Amino acid sequence: MKKITTLIIAALFGINVSAQKTTKIDVDATKPLVVIQPTMYGIFFEDINFAADGGLYAELIKNRSFEFEYPWMAWKHLPEAETRFNLVNELTIFNNARENAANPRIVRVDKRDATKDIGLQNEGFDGIGIKKGEKYDFSAFARLKKGDISLLVEIVNSKNQIIGSTTVALKNATWTKVEGVITATETDPKCKVNVIFKGGGQLDIDMISLFPQDTWKGRKGGLRKDLVQLLADLKPGFVRFPGGCIVEGRTLAERYQWKKTVGKVENRQQLVNRWNMEFQHRPAPDYYQTFGIGFFEYFQLCEDIGATPLPILSCGLACQFNSSETTPLEELEPFVQDALDLIEFANGGTDTKWGALRAEMGHPAPFNLKAIGVGNEQWGQEYFERYEVFSKAIRAKYPTIKLVSGTGPGSKGEMFEAAEKALTVLKPDLVDEHYYDSPKWFRENAARYDNYDRNRYKIFAGEYAAQSVATVSPDNKNNWECALSEAAFMTGLERNADVVYMTSYAPLFAHVNRWQWTPDLIWFDNLTSFGTANYYVQKLYANNAGTKTISIKSNGQNLIGKNGLYGAASLDEKNNEVILKLVNTSSDKHTIDLNINGLAENAVGKVISMIEKDIKNYNTINEPNKIIPAESEISITKSKANIVLEPYSFKVFRIKK
Ligand code: AHR
């Protein structure tokens, strides 16, 4: 009665009163249980939502080599009044396949009137993000066939004012990389780049490119620094690349072929991005893959951020949501050879064909590849038969390489059960399970692996994300309910670290204006980027994984959702710390009587908290810090503490033993 009265008064005064509950939690830090693999929390990378071209790959020019299906896409002729239909055909696309079959198209500039400037303007990816004071590297491949032509390269802001320029002289009659540097005088997220042809004569030009100098590790033609930093901050155990469905392709011709993504950038054969027209509600006809980030760059990224590489390869079966185009078993050999050659590319000596290419690309030392995935979300007999062929060949030549198989797109039902059955016989080392489901599903499945068969394969929870509305709904948000539900579910992944070896949220990146799929872990525009609440949940797990699990119980039971509470505990044996992860998914405040067996009499540590009253709230590009972790200190005397778990909160405790 008293409580009801309080609630009525609270409602009248608009006060948010939640119930308070007390729970006893016992942690035993004296008995380490199972090893948590260093690969436990990793990254799933796929070129979806303009994650690579127009995102992580810092190239600012779209369709730099005129290889999009329509070669002038993203380009406008200057002066604007004159179109490509002009009488003299001063700017013409030439197909130069004889000289470069992978990158055949070039622009021939025929400047008959030396007094009149003509040029090309590139729109970039949703504009070009430029920062004041920063330097930009312009480059192009050119050959001057006759006369005297130079390039005036200008960056123009959204008001069409010039905010930086450089002049590039052209001298050589053979293909030469020409370069210039532009310092920008203004910041603008929506710039364009003009390349003006001055003088008279004839010129061939290709691979027109502009990169910021301030890339990750300052590498020329490299990756966007802010985006890699967000990845590095996760301290991921692995990076899975290059996807996802992009591995499979809508058709076999559109599958990802790693050999076409290595070697000189100008010789990499571009391909349409399979996500370009996948969703009618988010068409992106200008979405292509230049492979400026190819397999070398993925391996290098892994090395840079201390993550183990996990490439996934086509198994000869195109996406079964699309064409299901299938390679006959007797013609699978080149696909299998690609896998064997990839292992040589990553690990082989510099005296091997593919190891030599790696060295030529600047990395003589091996990349230390330990595992490889065969197929993505594939299902049915067609998949298992093909997996078996790959498995036999890879195990015969490289017995130490671990093999990862798929289980199809879902984690339940007939298709999934058929996969479990087939894979139990085929014995991959790891099996990739995907869950895109409601936040409720995540909260209700924290015990998913508690009773999994320990004698089968290990689990790679390779793609998961709570969907606030429904899978592939454009209305999905990275809201706190989703992130908190994932945090709850992840307690179960960690508790079962003896069977779950790898986990990754998916997808990873999305451009705020150009995405196809939501939710995503990290969002960005042309200048900035931010982590979602889900990102911080991943970060807290990955940064605080520990090395072995320990028992955490309430009344002798695992914390798997009773009263909305979830928990996992581990030891960090290197730093001699106890790590607790506690999640309160309820609207009630919980007081915890915590007892940690195995602590010194006076133990201290820190608490990292994520608390948000409004579970529908989410971070945005304009308000990126609405839901972020905050740190405080804790002291525990004689192994006991009273702690508070606010409604809808996730807390990580790191306590010195
Ligand atoms: O993460 C987006 C897509 O979801 C992946 O490409 C695919 O594997 C899954 O269906």
Side-chain angles (χ1 to χ4, degrees):
M1 185 62 192
K2 196 174 160 214
K3 192 172 164 201
I4 292 169
T5 320
T6 316
L7 285 174
I8 292 168
I9 293 168
L12 284 173
F13 288 87
I15 304 167
N16 181 13
V17 171
S18 54
Q20 177 154 338
K21 299 208 163 119
T22 302
T23 305
K24 196 168 174 301
I25 293 182
D26 297 303
V27 177
D28 187 355
T30 63
K31 290 193 198 94
L33 298 173
V34 301
V35 172
I36 300 172
Q37 298 297 319
T39 52
M40 182 71 175
Y41 301 110
I43 287 176
F44 162 93
F45 181 89
E46 174 163 27
D47 190 4
I48 183 172
N49 306 315
F50 286 81
D53 287 288
L56 187 61
Y57 187 45
E59 173 65 270
L60 297 168
I61 302 292
K62 187 167 74 185
N63 193 14
R64 64 183 174 190
S65 60
F66 309 96
E67 303 298 335
F68 283 18
E69 190 181 0
Y70 175 60
W72 288 124
M73 202 173 215
W75 293 98
K76 195 188 264 179
H77 291 196
L78 298 174
E80 270 192 64
E82 297 188 20
T83 69
R84 67 201 157 83
F85 303 114
N86 63 37
L87 278 177
V88 282
N89 284 338
E90 288 170 305
L91 297 167
T92 311
I93 296 287
F94 264 59
N95 192 304
N96 201 29
R98 200 173 35 87
E99 285 184 278
N100 188 341
N103 179 6
R105 292 199 192 123
I106 61 168
V107 171
R108 166 123 340 143
V109 183
D110 212 348
K111 265 215 84 206
R112 293 170 211 175
D113 183 351
T115 63
K116 212 175 92 190
D117 289 347
I118 57 166
L120 287 169
Q121 183 176 74
N122 190 272
E123 66 185 27
F125 299 86
D126 190 44
I128 295 177
I130 294 291
K131 290 185 187 158
K132 184 177 174 179
E134 296 223 341
K135 290 191 162 52
Y136 294 85
D137 286 333
F138 168 83
S139 68
F141 280 78
R143 66 177 167 199
L144 189 60
K145 293 189 77 81
K146 58 182 177 204
D148 184 10
I149 300 180
S150 62
L151 307 180
L152 171 63
V153 186
E154 300 168 338
I155 299 177
V156 293
N157 66 12
S158 40
K159 293 184 214 116
N160 214 21
Q161 297 155 336
I162 299 167
I163 60 163
S165 67
T166 185
T167 300
V168 179
L170 306 175
K171 303 234 174 303
N172 293 337
T174 52
W175 283 110
T176 308
K177 187 171 182 181
V178 293
E179 292 172 293
V181 176
I182 303 176
T183 305
T185 56
E186 222 179 75
T187 296
D188 192 323
K190 301 263 182 185
C191 293
K192 291 182 174 137
V193 166
N194 295 338
V195 181
I196 318 264
F197 306 106
K198 306 278 259 183
Q202 202 178 58
L203 163 80
D204 288 344
I205 190 162
D206 197 9
M207 288 292 285
I208 299 176
S209 165
L210 188 76
F211 272 91
Q213 283 191 353
D214 191 22
T215 56
W216 170 254
K217 286 190 179 279
R219 287 196 188 110
K220 259 185 180 294
L223 308 184
R224 224 176 105 165
K225 195 168 137 183
D226 58 329
L227 296 181
V228 183
Q229 192 58 57
L230 280 162
L231 301 185
D233 292 346
L234 286 171
K235 301 200 183 115
F238 67 90
V239 180
R240 164 189 170 156
F241 56 88
C245 294
I246 211 159
V247 169
E248 309 159 10
R250 288 175 298 204
T251 60
L252 283 171
E254 286 178 9
R255 75 188 188 277
Y256 196 102
Q257 298 184 59
W258 76 267
K259 286 177 181 163
K260 295 188 177 180
T261 74
V262 292
K264 290 198 173 117
V265 172
E266 59 274 20
N267 295 336
R268 298 183 191 174
Q269 191 180 344
Q270 170 186 285
L271 186 66
V272 70
N273 187 302
R274 59 137 302 133
W275 294 107
N276 68 340
M277 302 302 280
E278 184 74 16
F279 301 118
Q280 276 175 9
H281 54 273
R282 303 290 301 177
D286 58 343
Y287 200 179
Y288 285 77
Q289 303 175 83
T290 61
F291 298 117
I293 305 182
F295 262 40
F296 180 88
E297 290 76 17
Y298 284 126
F299 280 119
Q300 194 174 47
L301 172 66
C302 293
E303 187 172 83
D304 286 352
I305 63 177
T308 198
L310 177 58
I312 309 282
L313 297 185
S314 161
C315 65
L317 196 50
C319 183
Q320 288 162 283
F321 287 114
N322 300 129
S323 72
S324 290
E325 193 182 358
T326 306
T327 311
L329 276 176
E330 50 285 12
E331 286 169 35
L332 206 55
E333 193 275 334
F335 291 78
V336 177
Q337 195 57 47
D338 274 359
L340 298 173
D341 290 342
L342 178 63
I343 300 169
E344 186 177 292
F345 178 73
N347 294 350
T350 52
D351 54 345
T352 63
K353 177 180 170 194
W354 293 102
L357 176 61
R358 184 191 69 237
E360 200 183 302
M361 291 182 75
H363 202 287
F367 278 124
N368 203 13
L369 176 68
K370 293 192 187 119
I372 199 167
V374 178
N376 171 47
E377 268 182 356
Q378 252 83 46
W379 63 82
Q381 198 50 29
E382 289 74 19
Y383 174 55
F384 307 129
E385 283 168 351
R386 278 156 190 77
Y387 174 84
E388 191 174 9
V389 177
F390 275 79
S391 168
K392 280 191 181 142
I394 298 171
R395 293 221 194 275
K397 187 153 185 201
Y398 296 106
T400 59
I401 292 285
K402 302 275 182 242
L403 290 180
V404 182
S405 81
T407 50
S411 57
K412 54 192 172 203
E414 222 176 292
M415 190 191 278
F416 178 74
E417 282 157 24
E420 281 191 311
K421 215 162 143 200
L423 295 170
T424 304
V425 179
L426 292 170
K427 294 194 189 327
D429 301 288
L430 286 126
V431 159
D432 180 12
E433 294 188 357
H434 294 179
Y435 357 91
Y436 293 102
D437 222 311
S438 65
K440 185 165 173 277
W441 182 93
F442 280 84
R443 294 193 298 272
E444 287 176 353
N445 280 274
R448 176 178 175 87
Y449 296 108
D450 287 0
N451 299 311
Y452 244 59
D453 183 350
R454 262 53 191 170
N455 300 315
R456 239 173 7 187
Y457 40 72
K458 304 296 176 193
I459 297 296
F460 168 31
E463 291 183 35
Y464 67 88
Q467 314 285 302
S468 65
V469 179
T471 313
V472 308
S473 164
D475 299 323
N476 285 329
K477 298 281 182 264
N478 283 96
N479 68 30
W480 181 229
E481 183 185 9
C482 290
L484 192 65
S485 305
E486 287 152 12
F489 177 74
M490 289 169 80
T491 57
L493 300 179
E494 193 165 291
R495 180 173 53 253
N496 291 288
D498 57 328
V499 66
V500 182
Y501 272 25
M502 300 173 106
T503 66
S504 45
Y505 182 99
L508 181 63
F509 283 127
H511 189 290
V512 289
N513 300 328
R514 315 223 57 211
W515 55 271
Q516 292 79 49
W517 180 297
T518 178
D520 303 284
L521 202 63
I522 294 168
W523 290 77
F524 60 92
D525 63 13
N526 288 350
L527 292 174
T528 58
S529 48
F530 71 96
T532 55
N534 316 68
Y535 170 86
Y536 290 107
V537 165
Q538 292 292 321
K539 185 172 167 188
L540 290 192
Y541 267 91
N543 289 190
N544 300 289
T547 49
K548 289 206 182 108
T549 63
I550 50 177
S551 153
I552 174 167
K553 305 262 183 196
S554 180
N555 293 323
Q557 303 293 316
N558 288 335
L559 286 130
I560 51 171
K562 189 165 175 220
N563 297 325
L565 290 186
Y566 298 81
S570 59
L571 287 181
D572 176 341
E573 293 159 305
K574 198 164 138 234
N575 294 304
N576 202 25
E577 286 176 333
V578 176
I579 303 172
L580 306 183
K581 300 185 181 84
L582 293 175
V583 186
N584 177 11
T585 62
S586 77
S587 57
D588 297 328
K589 178 170 159 184
H590 282 270
T591 305
I592 309 289
D593 283 345
L594 184 64
N595 176 37
I596 306 179
N597 185 21
L599 287 188
E601 189 160 324
N602 293 305
V604 290
K606 64 177 178 182
V607 190
I608 315 159
S609 310
M610 292 185 74
I611 307 166
E612 170 57 46
K613 287 193 293 280
D614 179 0
I615 54 169
K616 300 295 174 205
N617 210 352
Y618 54 92
N619 292 343
T620 65
I621 196 97
N622 295 323
E623 287 184 282
N625 295 329
K626 282 202 265 183
I627 311 171
I628 55 170
E631 222 174 281
S632 58
E633 287 172 1
I634 185 171
S635 29
I636 299 186
T637 311
K638 295 195 174 142
S639 292
K640 295 203 186 309
N642 269 314
I643 56 174
V644 169
L645 289 182
E646 292 77 359
Y648 307 124
S649 59
F650 169 40
K651 294 194 177 183
V652 177
F653 299 78
R654 283 198 83 113
I655 302 148
K656 293 266 171 216
K657 261 182 102 183

